[in-house]
Amino acid sequence: MTERGRTRKACIGRKCEKFTCFRRDTGTGGGRRGDHGGGSGQAWPGCGRAARVMSVWRALRGILALALLAMLFGQGPEPACAQGEACPPGTRVDTAAAGVLKARLKQTLAREGVPPRLQELVDKLPDCPACIERARLQVVSVHDRASYEAGEERRQSINRAFGAQVAGGSTNAVGDNVFESVEWSPTNEAIARRGLRSGRIKAFFVTLLSGPCICCPEGRDRAEAWQRAGGFDRQIYGQSPQMFNADVASGANSASGLGEDPADLYELDPSLTASALDGEIVARPAPNLPPAVRTAQPLCPHCRALAAERNTLADRYNDLRDSYAADYAEADRLMRLYVSRAGEIARQDQLVTRGGEANADARDQADLIRDRDHIALLTQANALFDKARATLAELEALRPDLERLDARLLACDTQPCTPPPATDGPPPCPDGSIVAPGTPCAQPGPPGGATVVLEQIVPVSGFQPFDQPSLESQFAPGGTSTTGGVWGNSIGSYSGDGSCGINATSLALFTNQCTLDPFGANGPTRFNCASSPAPSFSGTIIILGGANHSCTLRRTNDNRFVLDCTNTGGGTCSEPFDRSGP
Amino acid sequence: MTRPSPSRAIVLAAALTATTVATFLPTPGTTAEFRRRLAIPAPTELAPGARPVATPQPVDRKIIAASVEQIFAAFSDGGRGIDRLLADDFANRQRFIDDIGVRVPRDARLRVIAVQSVRTMEQVEATRADGRPVRISRVVATVRSQLEYNDPTTGFRRLEGVADYIFRIEQGM
């Protein structure tokens, strides 16, 4: 198919425009619409008349479109006035109709659980039906604008960071205040009251109208002025428009004017009183622990019964002290957690504004659970502090008794260890223990009823605990004996002049036996050191290669002795020794 | 009278010599050395009225072990009650008791590491003042001991030693 047209000029009124008429090829059927400006085509017979018809149709189509737009978007905020009326319908005072509407609204509020104290607000509504129909009970919280907008910035940054939208409430900033409106519920009012008490908000009100809602006055001139001023929502409060009608509101603008919370705020846990929600912290007990008490061990056996009594009390004292320390540490940990979470909750409350009304109940429930958990921390910490304080009081009560027993025990143990005077009870056993009347004391000694005593010890090697000189030399200052026998202070290393071939030896003392080791070709050689000179026990000592020698030690002083040896053939030698070391 | 012939005398002398040499010459596998005997100083006289036992009966080892534990416990307890466990003629008896209480550290503990050999050396029978017969035994026990204490400057100390403890035991008959 091919199309060719010719340009024509068509005028409607003063307006003319060129258009092109097209001719449809034969056999294709149907016409072709015109093409504006510059088009080319084959002209149809009668094209000029068709162009005029098209122009008229376009004009009518534009008018219809404008009319349709006016119908769709032309509805203004004010109801259209009836023909010849200055006030929109329902805006005039109609007491009869208003009474019916108010009664119906009260029934609705009562059915929704609104308490009578708030139902009374209905009576304060203006008597124009349109106002009553737009009444809605809501809680308006007044925030400080600076802090609220600071929270808004944080909220926006969170939105950017997490790609999520933090729900915001229905708010409006006016002057230094931000009005936040939420639907009334017992929980919402309780939260607003708590916010006012804690200083998070400046005021709160429960209101039925979010605007002034002034009825249209009588008289055409006044009605026209009412219309010019803005109608229902005209600003009747000067230059500061209110977001609610204070005439139909109940609330407070300070914590002091808040008074007691109404009893109908049933959604709050009754156990969570206002003081508990505000976080009363009990006074902490003293953090410093009294010192622990040690177990006493008396020297005198007769004081052991008293010591046992005192130690039992000391154990009780130490147990209480440990309990106090544990309770205080746990309470301190819970208190730190409580304070930390309080900061988090405050930041959270500042960041997240009230959400939409659809999830108000779920949000309030979450807030309550959060607050209950928070308060539970404080309650637990306070209980532990109370317990710790009671434990401390018990500790203080025990201390005088303990000190009294300590004094008695000290007096008992520092006196001569004599048996206590006879009492009504059974006398203590020889080992200090007390047994029940009629019960024999434990028999000391080995089994079989044998009497065993230690007569003597013979040192073999090493330290000799049952040798008195050994004890003195081990535990006396300087390692030498001070109270031993004649040879008591002679223990040590000696060097001789070699007259008997000994040269160097060491003198040890066991009971009344001296031992010289080394002793020439002999092993350790023992002498009877009960006195001086001390004879050797052996008569076969080898001296200078010859056997069968008997020797004696002659003590000169603590640091010197002389060895005299004789053999069976009459040979003798004498070698002096001087101390060379300890 | 006939005189032995010189040849027979020589044979007899040779036989005697060979027998004597064979008797005193050590044979392989039977040589032994004499151990040195260390005499323990002990009284050799019997107590008045005591009589030696024909067949000594060894003292039960449990009695000796219990006695060692008892006297060590008394030592560790600052010497409390140790005077009842020491013989009257124990060497430096009173001075020893005093030293336990004065010189030995208060926290010292004397432990029995091992009670090694227990031997009954003497056993006599006697009569008590009340007329009851008793058996008196002298038993030597080799005991390995260890004294433990905390020195203020050097810390924990332990002093180990071995000694023969000679007990006198009176048992009723």
Short mmCIF file of all heavy atoms in Angstrom, two decimals, chain A residues 125-162:
data_model
loop_
_atom_site.label_atom_id
_atom_site.label_comp_id
_atom_site.label_asym_id
_atom_site.label_seq_id
_atom_site.Cartn_x
_atom_site.Cartn_y
_atom_site.Cartn_z
N LEU A 125 -17.16 18.37 72.43
CA LEU A 125 -17.01 18.59 70.99
C LEU A 125 -17.98 19.69 70.53
O LEU A 125 -19.08 19.84 71.08
CB LEU A 125 -17.31 17.29 70.24
CG LEU A 125 -16.23 16.21 70.30
CD1 LEU A 125 -16.76 14.91 69.70
CD2 LEU A 125 -14.99 16.67 69.55
N PRO A 126 -17.60 20.42 69.51
CA PRO A 126 -18.55 21.40 68.94
C PRO A 126 -19.79 20.71 68.39
O PRO A 126 -19.74 19.53 68.03
CB PRO A 126 -17.72 22.06 67.82
CG PRO A 126 -16.29 21.78 68.16
CD PRO A 126 -16.27 20.48 68.88
N ASP A 127 -20.87 21.45 68.29
CA ASP A 127 -22.15 20.85 67.90
C ASP A 127 -22.37 20.86 66.41
O ASP A 127 -23.53 20.92 65.95
CB ASP A 127 -23.31 21.58 68.61
CG ASP A 127 -23.38 21.19 70.08
OD1 ASP A 127 -22.90 20.07 70.40
OD2 ASP A 127 -23.87 21.98 70.90
N CYS A 128 -21.33 20.88 65.63
CA CYS A 128 -21.52 20.75 64.19
C CYS A 128 -21.21 19.31 63.80
O CYS A 128 -20.18 18.76 64.21
CB CYS A 128 -20.65 21.73 63.41
SG CYS A 128 -18.98 21.93 64.04
N PRO A 129 -22.07 18.66 63.07
CA PRO A 129 -21.91 17.21 62.79
C PRO A 129 -20.59 16.87 62.11
O PRO A 129 -20.02 15.81 62.39
CB PRO A 129 -23.11 16.92 61.90
CG PRO A 129 -24.13 17.94 62.27
CD PRO A 129 -23.36 19.18 62.58
N ALA A 130 -20.11 17.75 61.26
CA ALA A 130 -18.87 17.42 60.56
C ALA A 130 -17.70 17.27 61.53
O ALA A 130 -16.82 16.42 61.36
CB ALA A 130 -18.55 18.50 59.52
N CYS A 131 -17.70 18.12 62.57
CA CYS A 131 -16.63 18.01 63.59
C CYS A 131 -16.74 16.69 64.33
O CYS A 131 -15.73 16.03 64.61
CB CYS A 131 -16.75 19.16 64.59
SG CYS A 131 -15.70 20.56 64.19
N ILE A 132 -17.94 16.34 64.67
CA ILE A 132 -18.12 15.11 65.45
C ILE A 132 -17.72 13.90 64.63
O ILE A 132 -17.14 12.94 65.13
CB ILE A 132 -19.58 15.02 65.92
CG1 ILE A 132 -19.90 16.23 66.82
CG2 ILE A 132 -19.84 13.73 66.68
CD1 ILE A 132 -21.37 16.36 67.16
N GLU A 133 -18.02 13.95 63.35
CA GLU A 133 -17.70 12.81 62.50
C GLU A 133 -16.19 12.62 62.33
O GLU A 133 -15.73 11.50 62.10
CB GLU A 133 -18.38 12.98 61.14
CG GLU A 133 -19.89 12.77 61.20
CD GLU A 133 -20.55 13.06 59.86
OE1 GLU A 133 -19.86 13.60 58.98
OE2 GLU A 133 -21.74 12.75 59.73
N ARG A 134 -15.45 13.70 62.42
CA ARG A 134 -14.00 13.56 62.24
C ARG A 134 -13.27 13.37 63.58
O ARG A 134 -12.05 13.37 63.62
CB ARG A 134 -13.44 14.77 61.50
CG ARG A 134 -13.59 16.07 62.28
CD ARG A 134 -13.27 17.26 61.45
NE ARG A 134 -11.92 17.27 60.90
CZ ARG A 134 -11.42 18.26 60.18
NH1 ARG A 134 -12.18 19.30 59.89
NH2 ARG A 134 -10.19 18.20 59.74
N ALA A 135 -14.00 13.25 64.69
CA ALA A 135 -13.34 13.07 66.00
C ALA A 135 -12.68 11.68 66.07
O ALA A 135 -13.24 10.68 65.62
CB ALA A 135 -14.37 13.22 67.12
N ARG A 136 -11.48 11.66 66.62
CA ARG A 136 -10.73 10.40 66.77
C ARG A 136 -9.84 10.53 68.01
O ARG A 136 -9.07 11.49 68.11
CB ARG A 136 -9.88 10.15 65.53
CG ARG A 136 -9.20 8.80 65.50
CD ARG A 136 -8.66 8.54 64.10
NE ARG A 136 -7.69 9.57 63.70
CZ ARG A 136 -6.38 9.43 63.83
NH1 ARG A 136 -5.90 8.32 64.35
NH2 ARG A 136 -5.57 10.37 63.45
N LEU A 137 -9.95 9.60 68.94
CA LEU A 137 -9.20 9.70 70.19
C LEU A 137 -7.73 9.33 69.94
O LEU A 137 -7.42 8.25 69.43
CB LEU A 137 -9.80 8.75 71.24
CG LEU A 137 -9.37 9.00 72.68
CD1 LEU A 137 -9.78 10.39 73.14
CD2 LEU A 137 -9.95 7.94 73.61
N GLN A 138 -6.85 10.21 70.32
CA GLN A 138 -5.43 9.98 70.08
C GLN A 138 -4.60 10.60 71.19
O GLN A 138 -5.06 11.49 71.91
CB GLN A 138 -5.02 10.55 68.73
CG GLN A 138 -5.38 12.00 68.55
CD GLN A 138 -5.22 12.45 67.11
OE1 GLN A 138 -4.42 11.89 66.39
NE2 GLN A 138 -5.96 13.47 66.72
N VAL A 139 -3.39 10.12 71.30
CA VAL A 139 -2.44 10.62 72.30
C VAL A 139 -1.42 11.47 71.56
O VAL A 139 -0.78 11.01 70.62
CB VAL A 139 -1.73 9.48 73.04
CG1 VAL A 139 -0.75 10.03 74.07
CG2 VAL A 139 -2.74 8.57 73.70
N VAL A 140 -1.28 12.72 71.99
CA VAL A 140 -0.34 13.64 71.36
C VAL A 140 0.81 13.89 72.36
O VAL A 140 0.58 14.39 73.46
CB VAL A 140 -1.01 14.97 70.99
CG1 VAL A 140 0.00 15.92 70.36
CG2 VAL A 140 -2.17 14.71 70.04
N SER A 141 2.01 13.50 71.96
CA SER A 141 3.20 13.74 72.79
C SER A 141 3.97 14.91 72.21
O SER A 141 4.16 14.99 70.99
CB SER A 141 4.10 12.50 72.83
OG SER A 141 3.40 11.39 73.35
N VAL A 142 4.42 15.81 73.08
CA VAL A 142 5.16 16.99 72.64
C VAL A 142 6.63 16.77 72.95
O VAL A 142 7.02 16.67 74.12
CB VAL A 142 4.63 18.26 73.35
CG1 VAL A 142 5.34 19.49 72.82
CG2 VAL A 142 3.13 18.37 73.17
N HIS A 143 7.44 16.66 71.90
CA HIS A 143 8.88 16.45 72.05
C HIS A 143 9.62 17.76 71.89
O HIS A 143 9.13 18.69 71.24
CB HIS A 143 9.39 15.47 70.98
CG HIS A 143 8.82 14.09 71.09
ND1 HIS A 143 9.47 13.07 71.72
CD2 HIS A 143 7.63 13.58 70.66
CE1 HIS A 143 8.73 11.97 71.66
NE2 HIS A 143 7.60 12.26 71.02
N ASP A 144 10.82 17.79 72.44
CA ASP A 144 11.72 18.90 72.15
C ASP A 144 12.24 18.74 70.72
O ASP A 144 12.72 17.67 70.34
CB ASP A 144 12.88 18.90 73.14
CG ASP A 144 13.84 20.04 72.87
OD1 ASP A 144 13.47 21.19 73.14
OD2 ASP A 144 14.95 19.75 72.38
N ARG A 145 12.15 19.80 69.95
CA ARG A 145 12.44 19.67 68.53
C ARG A 145 13.91 19.32 68.27
O ARG A 145 14.22 18.50 67.40
CB ARG A 145 12.08 20.97 67.82
CG ARG A 145 12.26 20.88 66.31
CD ARG A 145 11.69 22.08 65.63
NE ARG A 145 11.72 21.97 64.18
CZ ARG A 145 11.11 22.79 63.36
NH1 ARG A 145 10.40 23.80 63.85
NH2 ARG A 145 11.19 22.63 62.05
N ALA A 146 14.82 19.96 69.02
CA ALA A 146 16.25 19.74 68.76
C ALA A 146 16.62 18.27 69.00
O ALA A 146 17.25 17.63 68.16
CB ALA A 146 17.08 20.65 69.65
N SER A 147 16.20 17.76 70.17
CA SER A 147 16.56 16.37 70.45
C SER A 147 15.84 15.42 69.51
O SER A 147 16.38 14.41 69.10
CB SER A 147 16.22 16.03 71.91
OG SER A 147 14.84 16.22 72.13
N TYR A 148 14.63 15.78 69.14
CA TYR A 148 13.89 14.90 68.25
C TYR A 148 14.54 14.87 66.87
O TYR A 148 14.67 13.81 66.25
CB TYR A 148 12.44 15.36 68.15
CG TYR A 148 11.55 14.35 67.47
CD1 TYR A 148 10.96 13.34 68.22
CD2 TYR A 148 11.32 14.40 66.10
CE1 TYR A 148 10.15 12.40 67.62
CE2 TYR A 148 10.51 13.46 65.49
CZ TYR A 148 9.92 12.47 66.25
OH TYR A 148 9.13 11.53 65.65
N GLU A 149 14.95 16.04 66.38
CA GLU A 149 15.58 16.07 65.07
C GLU A 149 16.96 15.43 65.10
O GLU A 149 17.41 14.86 64.11
CB GLU A 149 15.66 17.51 64.57
CG GLU A 149 14.28 18.05 64.18
CD GLU A 149 14.35 19.48 63.69
OE1 GLU A 149 15.43 20.08 63.86
OE2 GLU A 149 13.35 19.97 63.15
N ALA A 150 17.63 15.54 66.26
CA ALA A 150 18.91 14.82 66.38
C ALA A 150 18.66 13.32 66.25
O ALA A 150 19.41 12.60 65.59
CB ALA A 150 19.58 15.13 67.72
N GLY A 151 17.58 12.88 66.86
CA GLY A 151 17.23 11.47 66.70
C GLY A 151 16.84 11.15 65.28
O GLY A 151 17.09 10.07 64.77
N GLU A 152 16.24 12.12 64.60
CA GLU A 152 15.85 11.91 63.21
C GLU A 152 17.07 11.72 62.33
O GLU A 152 17.09 10.87 61.43
CB GLU A 152 15.03 13.12 62.73
CG GLU A 152 14.59 13.05 61.28
CD GLU A 152 13.56 11.96 61.05
OE1 GLU A 152 12.97 11.50 62.04
OE2 GLU A 152 13.39 11.56 59.88
N GLU A 153 18.13 12.50 62.60
CA GLU A 153 19.35 12.33 61.82
C GLU A 153 19.93 10.93 62.02
O GLU A 153 20.35 10.27 61.07
CB GLU A 153 20.37 13.39 62.21
CG GLU A 153 19.93 14.80 61.80
CD GLU A 153 20.91 15.84 62.29
OE1 GLU A 153 21.92 15.44 62.92
OE2 GLU A 153 20.67 17.03 62.05
N ARG A 154 19.93 10.50 63.29
CA ARG A 154 20.43 9.15 63.53
C ARG A 154 19.55 8.12 62.83
O ARG A 154 20.03 7.13 62.28
CB ARG A 154 20.45 8.85 65.03
CG ARG A 154 21.55 9.54 65.79
CD ARG A 154 22.89 8.90 65.43
NE ARG A 154 22.94 7.47 65.74
CZ ARG A 154 23.25 6.98 66.91
NH1 ARG A 154 23.54 7.80 67.90
NH2 ARG A 154 23.30 5.68 67.11
N ARG A 155 18.25 8.40 62.84
CA ARG A 155 17.32 7.46 62.22
C ARG A 155 17.58 7.36 60.71
O ARG A 155 17.58 6.28 60.14
CB ARG A 155 15.90 7.93 62.51
CG ARG A 155 14.85 6.93 62.16
CD ARG A 155 13.56 7.22 62.90
NE ARG A 155 13.17 8.61 62.83
CZ ARG A 155 13.17 9.43 63.86
NH1 ARG A 155 13.55 9.00 65.03
NH2 ARG A 155 12.79 10.69 63.73
N GLN A 156 17.85 8.51 60.09
CA GLN A 156 18.13 8.50 58.66
C GLN A 156 19.45 7.78 58.38
O GLN A 156 19.57 7.06 57.39
CB GLN A 156 18.19 9.94 58.14
CG GLN A 156 16.86 10.66 58.19
CD GLN A 156 15.79 9.97 57.35
OE1 GLN A 156 16.09 9.33 56.35
NE2 GLN A 156 14.55 10.06 57.80
N SER A 157 20.44 7.99 59.24
CA SER A 157 21.72 7.32 59.02
C SER A 157 21.55 5.81 59.16
O SER A 157 22.16 5.03 58.44
CB SER A 157 22.77 7.83 60.01
OG SER A 157 22.42 7.47 61.32
N ILE A 158 20.70 5.40 60.08
CA ILE A 158 20.44 3.97 60.22
C ILE A 158 19.75 3.45 58.98
O ILE A 158 20.06 2.37 58.46
CB ILE A 158 19.60 3.71 61.48
CG1 ILE A 158 20.44 3.97 62.72
CG2 ILE A 158 19.05 2.30 61.50
CD1 ILE A 158 19.67 3.86 64.00
N ASN A 159 18.82 4.24 58.46
CA ASN A 159 18.13 3.81 57.24
C ASN A 159 19.11 3.63 56.09
O ASN A 159 19.03 2.68 55.33
CB ASN A 159 17.07 4.84 56.86
CG ASN A 159 15.90 4.80 57.83
OD1 ASN A 159 15.71 3.81 58.52
ND2 ASN A 159 15.14 5.89 57.89
N ARG A 160 20.05 4.56 55.99
CA ARG A 160 21.02 4.45 54.91
C ARG A 160 21.94 3.26 55.12
O ARG A 160 22.32 2.57 54.18
CB ARG A 160 21.84 5.74 54.81
CG ARG A 160 21.06 6.92 54.25
CD ARG A 160 21.99 8.05 53.91
NE ARG A 160 22.68 8.57 55.10
CZ ARG A 160 22.19 9.54 55.87
NH1 ARG A 160 21.03 10.09 55.59
NH2 ARG A 160 22.86 9.96 56.93
N ALA A 161 22.30 3.06 56.38
CA ALA A 161 23.27 1.99 56.66
C ALA A 161 22.65 0.61 56.46
O ALA A 161 23.28 -0.29 55.92
CB ALA A 161 23.80 2.13 58.08
N PHE A 162 21.41 0.46 56.88
CA PHE A 162 20.82 -0.87 56.84
C PHE A 162 19.84 -1.04 55.68
O PHE A 162 19.29 -2.12 55.52
CB PHE A 162 20.10 -1.15 58.17
CG PHE A 162 21.02 -1.22 59.33
CD1 PHE A 162 21.20 -0.14 60.15
CD2 PHE A 162 21.75 -2.38 59.58
CE1 PHE A 162 22.07 -0.19 61.23
CE2 PHE A 162 22.61 -2.44 60.65
CZ PHE A 162 22.78 -1.34 61.47
#
